[in-house]
Amino acid sequence: MKLIKTATVCLLLLVFADALFAQAKKTTVKSKSASAAPSAASMAAGKKVYSTICISCHQADGGGVPNMNPPLIKTTYVLGNKSKLISILLNGFNENVEINGNTYSNTMPSQDFLKDQEIADVLTYVRNSFGNKASAVTVAEVKKGRAAKK
Amino acid sequence: MKKKNLLTILLPVVAITGLILFNALKIDTPLKPKAATDDAAAGLTLPAGFSAAILIDNINGGIREMAPTPEGDLYAKVYRIRRGSTVKGIVSLHVDGDKATIKSTFGNFSGSGMYIKNGYLYASSDEEVFRYKLNSKNEVINPNEPEKIVTGLIARRQHEPKAILVDNNGNLYVNIGAFSNSCQEKDRQRGSMGIKGCPVLDSAAGIWQFKADKPNQHYKDGIRYATGLRNVVGMDWNTQNDQLFVMQHGRDQLHDIFPDLYTVKQSAELPAECMYALKKGDNAGWPYIYYDQIQHKKMIAPEYGGDGKKSGGENYIDPAAAYPGHMAPDGLLFYTGNQFPEKYKNGAFIAFHGSWNRSPEPQAGFFVVFQPFKNGKPDGKWEVFANGFAGTQAQTESGRAEHRPCGLAMGPDGSLYVSDDTKGTIYKITYKK
């Protein structure tokens, strides 16, 4: 399993000349904590949520819509601070987002009707799809975000 | 284990290559406009006898509305001025056959509207309307000192561009788009209901009429000419029945917001993108109703008690014509020229910018449509006139379009100009007898 995963990472790097050196390196570190690595189950469940809820604005390829809905590909919003990302899902986001000189201004509504598990899964999926590679989001982290919301 | 070793060896090489590529892509290089001459290079599919040329492309910031001069030149409005770009808010183009060159660029505001009337060039930002005096050759006399005609218009992160038009009686019409999708308590939120007596309508979601020659007008100086129009970008004056026609962008996300009432497929098709013929005081019904082009009925919006089946809204005007959902009609032009065959005379061209809100269903639009007219009214079925702006069929369906048709204008020789606000291309479509 680990071998296959490593081989996939290797292949992706070779094919796409992926630039995220640091993150790619992270995935090869032996002593990676199991909780932060995305599980196949979480990825599958997250894909399901993405395909029913997020896809209409952020699109199938995660590339968003020019001027309106921001892309989810290798942005600090997605790959950076997890609690911020969780907060965007729970509270919605009503500020202009600037990515690579382009501004995106559509309203992101709150998705707080999703269960903690669904939010953890979909964020794990987004952080590990469309060329992204980052640690998983856990239910505990979502619970913390939900508590902070009140 | 072997694979891992290979990876360890290759990592530095891959990382360095990657970094170089990544940085190369990230640099915001201003694109140099270049002219093209080859008809085939335009990449458009047109009816027999028509051909398309790329007048100019890569105008940094994209092009929205255009205003041709009787001398054959062209003013074009730059959508978003790019940081560090030499291209400002307006480009003045010299057109020579199938080629155009930039004569000058001026104006420090991004925006959408561009219109020539009575010796003035009108231009809009997202909050204001300006005009520039033209000389006898329709050249801007003082590009650095436009006259501010309207100021303080609302632009709140949705439907901000202001479409403009001047009629023959000195009236300026300005679209002010709704800063909301469907006037919900919480915008675009699943299940959130509509605000009673939608407050957006007081200052947006309609066409406002101002005086074309009076400086510094505010809301209070204008009148709300027509209301209940969510967002209009394409508009034109129909000279046959002396009436303003507009194209409305219908509301988004019926399924996302009310998944129990609308399927994904219904949400991709509905509601219609509507053409309206407006009279002073008309109300097209947003946000309370939408138009269903399949049932040919005005329907109560789900935010206001609708269930996808209840029709209503008798006091609201009917559309003059209706088109499939979400295709985003950004350009409207009545063809009054003599170059194209007789069937096009006084009919309407509509530029559909292309959808995003059909996903996960395939996207649609990214083409210019012809709508036949008779005696100032739509007559017969619309047809695709110019297609291929997006590139391949896959690019159309994914919405990853190369170009998006936006503004439409007619040159003095009857040629049709189509702008693209993605790559800053201007197309010229001609008919050869």
Side-chain angles (χ1 to χ4, degrees):
Chain A
M1 193 64 202
K2 182 112 186 177
L3 188 72
I4 293 165
K5 205 188 288 164
T6 316
T8 314
V9 170
C10 177
L11 200 69
L12 273 173
L13 281 165
L14 286 169
V15 173
F16 298 113
D18 194 296
L20 297 182
F21 174 65
Q23 267 138 15
K25 202 173 162 190
K26 249 188 236 165
T27 61
T28 64
V29 171
K30 260 186 195 166
S31 60
K32 191 80 199 160
S33 72
S35 67
S39 75
S42 189
M43 286 294 281
K47 185 177 184 177
K48 212 172 151 193
V49 175
Y50 186 88
S51 309
T52 49
I53 307 288
C54 320
I55 197 167
S56 106
C57 290
H58 293 289
Q59 306 297 309
D61 61 3
V65 177
N67 306 311
M68 302 184 72
N69 311 321
L72 304 174
I73 304 169
K74 294 178 183 174
T75 74
T76 49
Y77 290 93
V78 171
L79 296 173
N81 186 313
K82 282 196 262 184
S83 62
K84 255 189 201 163
L85 183 61
I86 292 164
S87 159
I88 289 174
L89 248 76
L90 291 171
N91 300 300
F93 200 64
N94 270 306
E95 290 163 35
N96 284 355
V97 172
E98 197 187 313
I99 297 166
N100 291 337
N102 296 306
T103 305
Y104 302 86
S105 66
N106 204 0
T107 305
M108 161 95 183
S110 156
Q111 311 294 329
D112 62 357
F113 59 87
L114 292 173
K115 296 184 187 88
D116 292 346
Q117 183 70 54
E118 290 175 312
I119 291 178
D121 290 342
V122 77
L123 289 180
T124 298
Y125 172 75
V126 166
R127 280 163 64 86
N128 291 282
S129 301
F130 324 124
N132 295 330
K133 199 86 202 157
S135 61
V137 171
T138 64
V139 170
E141 286 167 329
V142 178
K143 276 196 201 308
K144 218 171 116 190
R146 211 175 294 259
K149 197 189 168 198
K150 288 278 162 179
Chain B
M1 270 299 123
K2 240 185 190 167
K3 286 255 161 60
K4 190 170 241 175
N5 290 339
L6 180 71
L7 180 67
T8 317
I9 296 159
L10 280 175
L11 248 177
V13 181
V14 170
I16 289 164
T17 321
L19 274 171
I20 292 166
L21 276 173
F22 189 61
N23 284 329
L25 288 171
K26 266 174 72 179
I27 293 165
D28 188 19
T29 18
L31 296 163
K32 274 221 174 84
K34 64 170 198 284
T37 45
D38 190 359
D39 276 13
L44 301 185
T45 315
L46 297 157
F50 287 92
S51 61
I54 291 174
L55 276 184
I56 190 162
D57 62 5
N58 290 332
I59 298 179
N60 203 1
I63 296 299
R64 299 280 284 191
E65 304 302 317
M66 300 167 289
T69 71
E71 289 76 15
D73 286 346
L74 189 64
Y75 291 101
K77 186 74 195 75
V78 173
Y79 187 29
R80 296 283 175 249
I81 302 172
R82 296 286 174 194
R83 218 173 283 152
S85 171
T86 51
V87 177
K88 295 183 182 165
I90 298 167
V91 286
S92 167
L93 297 156
H94 175 61
V95 182
D96 183 9
D98 285 349
K99 272 196 279 187
T101 46
I102 295 180
K103 285 197 291 186
S104 64
T105 169
F106 55 94
N108 59 2
F109 52 94
S110 295
S112 219
M114 186 104 289
Y115 205 79
I116 288 182
K117 194 80 175 182
N118 301 328
Y120 287 92
L121 174 70
Y122 289 81
S124 69
S125 70
D126 290 349
E127 297 86 19
E128 297 178 306
V129 182
F130 302 88
R131 72 172 184 177
Y132 298 82
K133 180 115 184 79
L134 300 169
N135 67 18
S136 61
K137 291 178 198 159
N138 285 300
E139 295 161 335
V140 169
I141 294 166
N142 195 342
N144 296 321
E145 280 174 31
E147 198 180 349
K148 194 177 280 182
I149 299 298
V150 184
T151 186
L153 301 177
I154 279 178
R156 287 185 196 156
R157 303 180 54 238
Q158 283 184 64
H159 314 131
E160 316 95 298
K162 302 292 182 280
I164 55 171
L165 181 146
V166 180
D167 71 8
N168 287 328
N169 298 311
N171 296 306
L172 167 70
Y173 299 85
V174 184
N175 165 68
I176 305 174
F179 44 92
S180 161
N181 174 38
S182 50
C183 211
Q184 293 170 280
E185 297 278 353
K186 286 184 180 164
D187 190 31
R188 298 183 190 262
Q189 176 81 58
R190 174 177 290 201
S192 173
M193 298 307 280
I195 305 172
K196 296 226 158 45
C198 176
V200 174
L201 295 162
D202 295 343
S203 58
I207 307 292
W208 265 254
Q209 189 191 53
F210 296 93
K211 293 284 165 224
D213 59 356
K214 192 180 158 194
N216 284 313
Q217 295 170 89
H218 289 78
Y219 273 102
K220 62 177 169 44
D221 302 304
I223 60 162
R224 195 176 67 176
Y225 186 79
T227 188
L229 291 157
R230 180 174 173 274
N231 186 36
V232 166
V233 186
M235 56 168 145
D236 198 12
W237 198 268
N238 187 300
T239 51
Q240 283 208 305
N241 59 7
D242 203 28
Q243 197 172 9
L244 179 65
F245 276 69
V246 301
M247 297 296 312
Q248 176 186 237
H249 287 218
R251 50 90 41 89
D252 301 325
Q253 296 184 286
L254 283 167
H255 169 79
D256 291 339
I257 301 169
F258 295 96
D260 299 338
L261 300 179
Y262 297 89
T263 65
V264 169
K265 213 167 170 58
Q266 284 173 321
S267 195
E269 283 293 323
L270 297 173
E273 304 286 55
C274 292
M275 173 189 280
Y276 289 105
L278 296 180
K279 296 187 305 291
K280 189 174 167 178
D282 276 346
N283 188 337
W286 180 91
Y288 308 113
I289 60 136
Y290 66 85
Y291 192 75
D292 181 326
Q293 78 277 16
I294 297 160
Q295 298 188 62
H296 304 284
K297 277 180 189 167
K298 287 174 288 194
M299 309 295 289
I300 308 282
E303 289 84 352
Y304 291 90
D307 57 2
K309 296 176 186 76
K310 266 188 261 175
S311 62
E314 288 71 23
N315 297 329
Y316 305 127
I317 58 169
D318 280 315
Y323 306 86
H326 311 300
M327 299 200 304
D330 275 3
L332 174 66
L333 176 87
F334 288 107
Y335 188 78
T336 53
N338 297 314
Q339 184 189 127
F340 290 5
E342 187 56 30
K343 78 171 236 195
Y344 295 99
K345 186 89 176 181
N346 295 315
F349 287 106
I350 306 161
F352 285 99
H353 197 238
S355 69
W356 62 270
N357 194 221
R358 285 175 164 248
S359 152
E361 294 289 303
Q363 305 296 350
F366 311 99
F367 48 42
V368 176
V369 152
F370 178 68
Q371 170 65 63
F373 262 65
K374 202 173 178 182
N375 302 321
K377 288 199 167 77
D379 180 57
K381 179 116 181 67
W382 59 275
E383 60 196 43
V384 174
F385 174 75
N387 206 351
F389 294 92
T392 62
Q393 185 62 23
Q395 282 172 298
T396 296
E397 291 183 2
S398 66
R400 296 288 162 238
E402 290 284 327
H403 303 275
R404 291 164 197 265
C406 184
L408 296 172
M410 192 185 73
D413 66 349
S415 298
L416 178 68
Y417 297 129
V418 185
S419 75
D420 151 43
D421 65 356
T422 299
K423 290 243 176 83
T425 302
I426 301 175
Y427 300 83
K428 179 181 182 178
I429 298 174
T430 50
Y431 182 74
K432 296 196 171 81
K433 288 175 186 87

